[in-house]
Amino acid sequence: MGQSLQRDILELLAVSIRANREALATLRGDDSQYLRNTISRLTREKMISVSKTPWWSIRLTSKGVALLAEINEPLVDFYLRYSCNNCPGGNPTHKRAQCKASEVVALAKRAGVLTGMEKPARGNIGASKLRPEQSALYLMKELKFEEGQKVGRAQISRATAVLLSRGISALVYNVQGDNLTINRAPETSANYHVAALRLDVCEPQAGVADISRSIIVGYNYDVALGLIEEPEEPGKQDGERKTKTLHTAIKDRAITKTDMLYLPLNQGGAMCLQLLMRYSPSEIQPLVFTEAEIAAAKQRGRGEAVVKGLQCFELVTMNLSKLLRVKEQYEAGIENVGFVCLESQAEFVKRAMQTKNVPLRIIKEDAMKKLLSQ
């Protein structure tokens, strides 16, 4: 057990370069004493070094790299390539980007996503490709490194990673506890690059999803609530263009040409990610509604299902763009609208709809785990 956790920590650091407490807790599932003891031991043995400024984080030492070589030798080359031979940038901007990456990688690993050297490499003719049952995460630093990008920050996507899978292919934005300022052109362009990446690393028969949704990762559902409730601001002027945020992208699909989904950094987020990767949106609806409920909505020409006379919508996948569209479309008759969500999402939905009485069909987490284990 101890060796397994040690290996997970070392491999997380090899892929993301640096990790913070939130990433380690996500990887483990909790911030347990056992996790803290393992970090303390690795620190005492000088396998990792701890930085406390501007916030707590850890990274590999030369001894840690040597231990990694014993555990997973191919990953050492990956780490050295993207860490400038174990000399990663140490300014606050670099540290925050690396910690953001660690949180996304930890969530992906919990959901069974291929990362680091596990996934297919770009441009390797004859190399193995991503199969239909697999999913892969490519950090943006990997793609920028390979493409040799030397452009200003405003010209590149603010995404942390790219996810490829049968059910969803998406840019992944890690907001942690804040919002993100974005520019329309780089985000739209990045989606085209995702499409090209898909063709490069996936088997033709893999059936990897088109780019129609993006994923936002944050610490909890309070962060999601802040994203959808943030008041509109004029924005900073850049010539005649206004700076946009993820809040405006959630409301205005034209900014990224995708719907924006939200995943918290916890077990519920990992479970939803598994659902998203395995099933397409059209396949998820029959999992949460009956055929008769879906047919009734098609007959009415409104909603995704009709449950006890209510227009109902699926929110298990935490599609924030859909949520705001429903609020706007049914504002005058919101009492006739219901949602299906996980038990852990129910409080968020009530707060987002600004009523404790919103009709909900609750799916227990155990039922979702059972579905995903099949």
Side-chain angles (χ1 to χ4, degrees):
M1 181 73 169
Q3 295 302 310
S4 174
L5 177 58
Q6 173 179 281
R7 179 185 183 120
D8 288 345
I9 293 171
L10 294 178
E11 291 182 344
L12 172 65
L13 291 172
V15 175
S16 61
I17 312 302
R18 193 182 300 272
N20 57 12
R21 287 193 174 94
E22 288 78 10
L24 295 168
T26 300
L27 184 69
R28 168 70 184 171
D30 56 31
D31 186 18
S32 66
Q33 187 62 48
Y34 172 56
L35 173 61
R36 293 193 290 273
N37 289 344
T38 302
I39 295 298
S40 296
R41 177 177 59 79
L42 289 172
T43 305
R44 285 196 309 272
E45 295 173 355
K46 296 184 171 20
M47 299 296 174
I48 60 175
S49 64
V50 177
S51 171
K52 296 183 179 179
T53 55
W55 47 75
W56 189 95
S57 64
I58 59 173
R59 72 174 185 88
L60 291 173
T61 63
S62 56
K63 285 186 68 174
V65 175
L67 179 59
L68 177 67
E70 297 176 13
I71 296 172
N72 189 337
E73 187 173 3
L75 194 53
V76 173
D77 289 338
F78 180 95
Y79 171 73
L80 293 177
R81 182 183 188 191
Y82 295 109
S83 68
C84 298
N85 290 315
N86 202 23
C87 296
N91 66 43
T93 300
H94 286 141
K95 284 185 176 180
R96 187 175 191 195
Q98 291 157 2
C99 288
K100 279 189 170 187
S102 72
E103 293 167 355
V104 173
V105 171
L107 185 67
K109 280 184 168 292
R110 287 209 69 186
V113 182
L114 301 179
T115 63
M117 293 295 291
E118 302 168 333
K119 64 186 187 298
R122 296 189 68 189
N124 282 0
I125 299 174
S128 62
K129 301 286 187 178
L130 196 68
R131 300 193 301 273
E133 72 277 11
Q134 295 178 317
S135 54
L137 186 82
Y138 294 81
L139 293 174
M140 295 302 282
K141 69 176 184 184
E142 300 174 47
L143 306 182
K144 293 170 188 174
F145 186 94
E146 291 174 6
E147 294 169 5
Q149 292 186 19
K150 295 291 182 182
V151 295
R153 184 176 178 183
Q155 295 175 268
I156 58 177
S157 171
R158 298 299 305 279
T160 296
V162 174
L163 174 70
L164 298 179
S165 72
R166 177 190 174 277
I168 184 170
S169 294
L171 290 173
V172 183
Y173 300 85
N174 185 0
V175 298
Q176 296 185 314
D178 304 319
N179 201 340
L180 275 183
T181 299
I182 61 174
N183 288 292
R184 185 193 303 257
E187 304 309 325
T188 303
S189 175
N191 277 309
Y192 293 131
H193 287 300
V194 174
L197 174 65
R198 214 172 40 141
L199 293 174
D200 191 14
V201 302
C202 299
E203 290 183 351
Q205 67 273 26
V208 173
D210 292 331
I211 315 301
S212 61
R213 294 170 292 169
S214 297
I215 294 173
I216 302 173
V217 173
Y219 287 149
N220 49 48
Y221 288 120
D222 286 341
V223 176
L225 201 65
L227 287 172
I228 63 173
E229 291 183 343
E230 181 179 304
E232 289 288 353
E233 296 178 358
K236 298 178 181 178
Q237 295 293 333
D238 179 14
E240 294 184 354
R241 297 175 299 170
K242 288 183 179 179
T243 301
K244 305 293 184 181
T245 67
L246 282 181
H247 168 69
T248 49
I250 292 168
K251 295 187 67 176
D252 183 0
R253 199 177 191 277
I255 293 175
T256 62
K257 301 191 184 305
T258 64
D259 273 7
M260 309 297 287
L261 282 56
Y262 183 84
L263 297 176
L265 276 171
N266 55 32
Q267 174 58 31
M271 190 161 49
C272 286
L273 181 55
Q274 288 178 297
L275 181 73
L276 287 166
M277 294 187 300
R278 183 181 295 189
Y279 300 104
S280 68
S282 62
E283 293 169 334
I284 290 175
Q285 284 189 21
L287 297 176
V288 298
F289 298 119
T290 67
E291 289 184 13
E293 290 167 345
I294 295 172
K298 289 180 178 178
Q299 188 174 9
R300 286 190 184 185
R302 299 193 306 277
E304 295 174 349
V306 176
V307 181
K308 297 180 180 179
L310 298 174
Q311 300 293 142
C312 288
F313 298 86
E314 173 272 313
L315 272 185
V316 175
T317 55
M318 282 293 290
N319 187 325
L320 301 183
S321 299
K322 180 202 292 187
L323 175 64
L324 292 187
R325 286 196 298 268
V326 171
K327 281 188 71 173
E328 182 178 355
Q329 183 179 354
Y330 293 91
E331 184 176 8
I334 202 67
E335 67 278 0
N336 297 317
V337 174
F339 300 94
V340 58
C341 65
L342 294 177
E343 191 172 20
S344 59
Q345 300 166 339
E347 184 61 27
F348 163 79
V349 176
K350 292 175 183 177
R351 293 173 65 190
M353 298 304 292
Q354 299 175 321
T355 173
K356 289 284 186 182
N357 299 319
V358 58
L360 299 176
R361 170 179 285 177
I362 303 295
I363 297 178
K364 299 285 187 180
E365 263 74 0
D366 287 345
M368 185 58 67
K369 289 178 184 177
K370 184 176 179 180
L371 169 68
L372 294 172
S373 67
Q374 295 175 356

